[in-house]
Amino acid sequence: MDTTISCKRCGNVIQERPVPAWCDQCHYPGIEDEYREMRALIEEGYSYADAAVRSGYVGAEHFCGDD
């Protein structure tokens, strides 16, 4: 039975695989470390947006702009 999940970064549906849980377009060397750092910052009380930018997981442009 095939199981699908969403990419942790962009939300695209991908085939489930143990690790990483990112699609091929989002995965790059070091993303796992940035994700862990972001989760640690959230545990410390930072908002998702602040933690994501501080850890390098996503750029600030992801949270601001003309969208």
Side-chain angles (χ1 to χ4, degrees):
M1 177 168 69
D2 288 338
T3 303
T4 57
I5 60 171
S6 296
C7 172
K8 288 183 178 183
R9 192 163 191 207
C10 70
N12 288 333
V13 175
I14 56 175
Q15 289 299 115
E16 185 173 15
R17 45 188 175 178
V19 171
W22 293 274
C23 68
D24 291 338
Q25 290 80 24
C26 290
H27 188 266
Y28 55 86
I31 193 170
E32 292 94 348
D33 294 333
E34 290 174 354
Y35 182 78
R36 280 192 291 271
E37 175 67 17
M38 179 191 69
R39 299 303 310 166
L41 288 168
I42 290 170
E43 290 283 323
E44 290 178 19
Y46 288 92
S47 69
Y48 169 78
D50 199 16
V53 172
R54 286 175 180 264
S55 67
Y57 186 63
V58 296
E61 66 277 359
H62 179 80
F63 298 102
C64 56
D66 297 331
D67 293 287

